[in-house]
Amino acid sequence: MTRERYSDHVHSGEVLDILEASGTPACLINVHYQSVTFNDEMRKMLQLDQVYLSFCEWLSLIRTSNRPEIHQLIHQTPKEKEQSLSIHLKISNDYHMFMCKMVNLKNDQKVLIFSNAQSTVNGSLPYKRDEDPLPSNYSYLHSNTSANQSMPAIHNLDLITDSFTDHKTSSKEELFTQVADHFPHGLAMINNYWEVIYANDKMEQLTGLSYHENSQKKLWDVISVEEYASFFQRCLRAMDTQEMIELEGDMRDQTVKMTILPTAQGLTLIGQDITLNKQQLQALQASEKRFSILANNINDVFWICDFDFQKVHYISPAFNEMFGMKRRELLSGWSSLKNLIHMNDYNKVSSAFSIMKQQKHHVEYRITTRSGEEKWIRTQGFPVINEGAEYVIGTHQDITKFKEMAQLKEKSQQLSTITQMAAGVAHEIKNPLTAIKGFLQIGAANPDLRDNYYEIILDEVNRIESIVQDFMMLSKPKSSIQLEEIDIEDVVSYVLRLLDPEATNKNINLTFTCNIVENSFQSEPKRLKQILLNIISNAIDATDKDGNVEVSAYTREDDLILSIIDDGQGLSDQDLAKLGEPFFTTKEKGTGLGVMVTKKMVNDLNGMIAYKSELDQGTSVTISLPYDL
């Protein structure tokens, strides 16, 4: 309640207090501010908690058939100081008829004084339906003596009325001006003669017109009727219907919202500069339009849901095509998707959605649409907080084609590898077979020379056998591993003794360092020896005469580390990247299968192998094997 309205209630309180002292229910109606104030007797009778109601709220307590005449009586220019009328008021959902006297005061205020005597319709139970059982020509306004006689005797009524109407209004007018001048919006008043009687500073700033220059002028002399025809039409309609009307329009390069409030004195105008709000609204609408265009034309699905995935706030139209179901079926939550997700992927999807509440995450899974089409979906989401509310937003992407392409690529690579290995095997075996065939033909033609080629033929057969053994090693399953407790130092020393003659021939310094407290280790001796034999042998082959090959064994956390370092020729970055590919080798007679076999055996032992090399700087190979297989 504004300070002006509060002031009115304070001055009129004397009237209500006197009426209450006499035990008389009464209320004060302020027509200008459309408010109603009750004394305690009236409030108790109506069973209300509050002392103040708006005029509309008060009318809701009166039966519908009474409202038009009461509304007209209150708002019309008073011809008589006092008038009597009958009203049906709602008390505890029942309508009761009261006789009351209305006293017209100054400043658009009226006092309604109710009789203590209550009557029911037709002298029976209270009338509960909001209908009028009386004839249509029945008048609720009475000026005859019978109506006046039904009112209680109030001896001090004239004294009350005179004291209230004679109260000075200068302080209230001053207070109203102070409040209106600080009102955050433009405020102006037009009397029934269309004259400007007040405008605050905000309204002057809004319209660019001075109140002092236009005071008491007709409104159409202040602003152009032709330019603001719609505004004048709304003002006329507000006066005619006595209803509040709002309109928006442009004024002095700004957008103004004007509220027209009809009063008994004329019109009250409230103006607001909504230019910034309008611009923000237009920007928001443009942004929503752009988002709508994007969402409606992109294949991915955008979605927003609550933090518990119980309610979907938004999902883009592409959902219908991707999942083969209507968007409205998903508005109740994600549960409707359960039947589409592949049974083997459901737990993975459920776990992924829980992670999305904490951080950005994605999951790939299979679905089967209602039409029977199988698809791969990638869903990613992450949490957000907006104005204190938590949401999860994300996208669905159909990756079926990507999965099919990946499978085709994998099959193509497998086929390429098989073709390459088959060609390599054929090439590697063809060479010794050609030599064997040639020498056998020579021996058949010259039996005396047969013994001279026996050793060469045997070497070529051994080479073929070595190639076949390498392939058998690649195909040997991991499950065939036979673990034994071995001594690492013994295993490495055994391999070095086998390779010592080869190192001695090239005058290579072959050293071994063991820094292991417990030499006992669970592994398969044959595979471990073959791993060391292949790597150390390659290191000796890559090292020039008078070079060095260093072998060391030590522990790091829970792993056994075997390191082989040579200072030989080394490998370029390109050759290092190809290391391990079938039949790639830097040896003149190598097959390239040795590195493949070595990696396979290290992997079978749950270990890892890493190569570091630099051209002309040597090569370092590190093997990491867990103690606990």
Side-chain angles (χ1 to χ4, degrees):
M1 179 178 297
T2 64
R3 293 176 59 188
E4 177 66 15
R5 292 170 63 183
Y6 178 75
S7 177
D8 288 342
H9 292 304
V10 172
H11 293 300
S12 60
E14 302 172 9
V15 179
L16 297 177
D17 290 343
I18 295 174
L19 291 171
E20 186 172 344
S22 65
T24 304
C27 64
L28 176 69
I29 301 176
N30 191 317
V31 180
H32 180 75
Y33 291 110
Q34 298 285 292
S35 64
V36 181
T37 306
F38 305 101
N39 67 357
D40 283 344
E41 193 68 26
M42 184 71 179
R43 181 182 60 80
K44 293 176 182 178
M45 183 182 75
L46 295 177
Q47 300 178 11
L48 298 175
D49 295 330
Q50 62 268 39
V51 179
Y52 308 113
L53 286 181
S54 69
F55 185 73
C56 292
E57 291 174 329
W58 179 73
L59 279 181
S60 67
L61 300 177
I62 301 173
R63 206 165 70 193
T64 305
S65 56
N66 293 159
R67 296 175 190 173
E69 294 186 58
I70 293 175
H71 192 281
Q72 180 181 3
L73 181 65
I74 291 175
H75 286 87
Q76 70 182 5
T77 303
K79 296 180 180 179
E80 300 176 357
K81 187 174 182 180
E82 299 179 9
Q83 292 175 291
S84 299
L85 64 156
S86 61
I87 298 178
H88 285 79
L89 290 176
K90 182 187 290 186
I91 301 177
S92 299
N93 296 322
D94 296 333
Y95 284 97
H96 297 257
M97 186 173 72
F98 295 86
M99 298 302 298
C100 66
K101 178 179 288 187
M102 184 175 70
V103 180
N104 293 303
L105 306 179
K106 293 182 179 180
N107 301 320
D108 290 333
Q109 297 185 98
K110 302 176 187 291
V111 174
L112 285 181
I113 305 170
F114 292 80
S115 66
N116 288 327
Q118 299 183 14
S119 61
T120 60
V121 178
N122 296 328
S124 59
L125 294 175
Y127 194 70
K128 297 184 179 181
R129 293 180 299 167
D130 194 10
E131 299 176 358
D132 192 355
L134 303 176
S136 60
N137 60 354
Y138 180 85
S139 174
Y140 291 91
L141 303 179
H142 302 275
S143 59
N144 53 35
T145 56
S146 62
N148 291 329
Q149 289 173 356
S150 67
M151 296 295 296
I154 304 179
H155 304 291
N156 296 325
L157 180 60
D158 293 338
L159 177 62
I160 294 170
T161 305
D162 293 341
S163 64
F164 187 80
T165 54
D166 292 340
H167 193 87
K168 295 182 180 180
T169 61
S170 60
S171 60
K172 293 192 293 181
E173 292 175 354
E174 181 180 355
L175 181 60
F176 168 77
T177 302
Q178 292 176 357
V179 173
D181 286 345
H182 291 86
F183 192 62
H185 306 303
L187 180 66
M189 295 183 179
I190 311 297
N191 63 19
N192 287 319
Y193 301 102
W194 292 88
E195 294 173 343
V196 179
I197 59 174
Y198 176 78
N200 65 358
D201 292 340
K202 289 288 185 180
M203 183 61 83
E204 291 183 358
Q205 295 172 8
L206 200 63
T207 61
L209 301 172
S210 171
Y211 163 66
H212 297 288
E213 295 178 359
N214 297 285
S215 178
Q216 304 303 319
K217 287 185 179 181
K218 301 291 185 181
L219 185 60
W220 49 77
D221 292 332
V222 178
I223 61 176
S224 171
V225 177
E226 295 180 355
E227 187 176 357
Y228 298 103
S230 178
F231 168 70
F232 278 95
Q233 291 173 359
R234 304 294 178 85
C235 288
L236 287 170
R237 192 172 76 182
M239 279 192 171
D240 183 47
T241 62
Q242 288 295 300
E243 294 179 353
M244 182 186 73
I245 295 178
E246 294 181 343
L247 74 157
E248 295 180 7
D250 295 330
M251 178 181 290
R252 302 178 64 243
D253 299 327
Q254 57 190 350
T255 303
V256 176
K257 177 183 178 181
M258 193 67 69
T259 303
I260 306 170
L261 296 171
T263 65
Q265 289 78 17
L267 297 174
T268 297
L269 307 178
I270 301 176
Q272 297 174 254
D273 182 359
I274 60 171
T275 305
L276 180 59
N277 293 343
K278 201 74 173 180
Q279 292 173 349
Q280 292 176 342
L281 179 60
Q282 290 173 351
L284 179 61
Q285 290 173 341
S287 177
E288 290 180 348
K289 184 177 181 180
R290 289 193 295 269
F291 176 78
S292 178
I293 293 173
L294 176 64
N296 292 335
N297 292 277
I298 197 170
N299 293 328
D300 292 350
V301 176
F302 296 98
W303 52 266
I304 303 173
C305 69
D306 64 356
F307 199 67
D308 295 324
F309 295 96
Q310 296 299 317
K311 181 179 179 181
V312 178
H313 295 279
Y314 173 80
I315 190 161
S316 60
F319 174 83
N320 298 349
E321 178 68 22
M322 185 178 296
F323 287 85
M325 59 187 296
K326 300 296 184 182
R327 286 189 292 168
R328 63 174 175 270
E329 299 181 52
L330 198 65
L331 294 180
S332 60
W334 292 110
S335 57
S336 55
L337 286 178
K338 290 182 179 179
N339 296 332
L340 302 184
I341 300 175
H342 194 283
M343 59 181 300
N344 294 336
D345 294 339
Y346 182 78
N347 291 335
K348 177 176 65 175
V349 174
S350 179
S351 175
F353 273 74
S354 298
I355 298 175
M356 291 177 194
K357 298 179 182 180
Q358 309 298 328
Q359 62 187 29
K360 187 175 182 180
H361 188 64
H362 75 273
V363 60
E364 296 180 358
Y365 55 96
R366 293 161 291 177
I367 67 168
T368 302
T369 64
R370 293 175 179 175
S371 62
E373 183 180 3
E374 295 185 356
K375 293 183 177 181
W376 274 93
I377 303 296
R378 178 189 288 124
T379 297
Q380 55 185 350
F382 54 91
V384 295
I385 299 178
N386 182 41
E387 297 181 354
E390 295 179 313
Y391 302 92
V392 179
I393 66 175
T395 61
H396 298 306
Q397 184 181 8
D398 186 348
I399 60 170
T400 306
K401 293 184 178 179
F402 294 101
K403 283 290 185 179
E404 291 175 351
M405 291 175 61
Q407 291 175 355
L408 290 174
K409 183 178 180 180
E410 183 179 355
K411 290 180 180 179
S412 176
Q413 290 177 343
Q414 291 176 351
L415 181 60
S416 176
T417 301
I418 293 172
T419 303
Q420 184 179 2
M421 291 187 67
V425 170
H427 175 74
E428 293 298 326
I429 294 179
K430 181 181 178 181
N431 290 336
L433 286 176
T434 301
I436 293 173
K437 181 180 178 181
F439 286 117
L440 287 175
Q441 290 174 343
I442 294 174
N446 300 283
D448 297 338
L449 300 176
R450 186 178 301 171
D451 293 339
N452 296 335
Y453 305 116
Y454 177 78
E455 186 176 352
I456 297 175
I457 293 173
L458 184 60
D459 289 341
E460 295 300 323
V461 171
N462 290 335
R463 185 179 177 189
I464 293 175
E465 183 182 14
S466 176
I467 294 173
V468 173
Q469 286 177 348
D470 286 342
F471 274 103
M472 290 180 65
M473 182 64 70
L474 287 173
S475 62
K476 190 175 183 180
K478 177 181 177 181
S479 59
S480 63
I481 293 178
Q482 301 296 325
L483 294 179
E484 297 180 15
E485 190 158 325
I486 61 174
D487 188 301
I488 300 300
E489 188 171 2
D490 289 345
V491 171
V492 176
S493 298
Y494 172 79
V495 173
L496 293 181
R497 285 196 300 271
L498 292 178
L499 296 174
D500 184 66
E502 184 178 347
T504 302
N505 289 336
K506 298 182 66 175
N507 198 26
I508 292 176
N509 184 24
L510 190 60
T511 61
F512 172 52
T513 304
C514 185
N515 293 322
I516 300 177
V517 177
E518 295 183 5
N519 291 337
S520 180
F521 182 71
Q522 289 285 335
S523 185
E524 186 185 56
K526 291 182 180 180
R527 290 181 191 256
L528 186 56
K529 291 176 181 179
Q530 188 65 46
I531 291 170
L532 293 171
L533 189 63
N534 290 349
I535 295 175
I536 298 174
S537 177
N538 287 341
I540 294 173
D541 290 340
T543 305
D544 296 331
K545 289 183 178 182
D546 301 325
N548 296 287
V549 174
E550 300 175 2
V551 180
S552 60
Y554 57 91
T555 57
R556 184 173 60 196
E557 296 180 353
D558 295 331
D559 293 336
L560 167 67
I561 307 299
L562 298 172
S563 174
I564 299 93
I565 303 174
D566 67 69
D567 56 3
Q569 302 171 358
L571 298 170
S572 64
D573 293 339
Q574 293 81 1
D575 290 343
L576 189 62
K578 294 180 181 180
L579 197 63
E581 293 183 2
F583 305 106
F584 171 77
T585 180
T586 57
K587 298 180 181 180
E588 182 179 353
K589 294 185 178 182
T591 63
L593 297 176
V595 177
M596 289 185 64
V597 171
T598 301
K599 287 187 175 182
K600 172 67 168 53
M601 288 188 293
V602 171
N603 185 64
D604 289 344
L605 296 175
N606 291 333
M608 293 186 297
I609 184 170
Y611 288 83
K612 291 184 179 179
S613 185
E614 188 174 347
L615 200 60
D616 298 328
Q617 297 296 322
T619 302
S620 171
V621 182
T622 303
I623 302 169
S624 176
L625 298 172
Y627 269 92
D628 186 9
L629 290 179

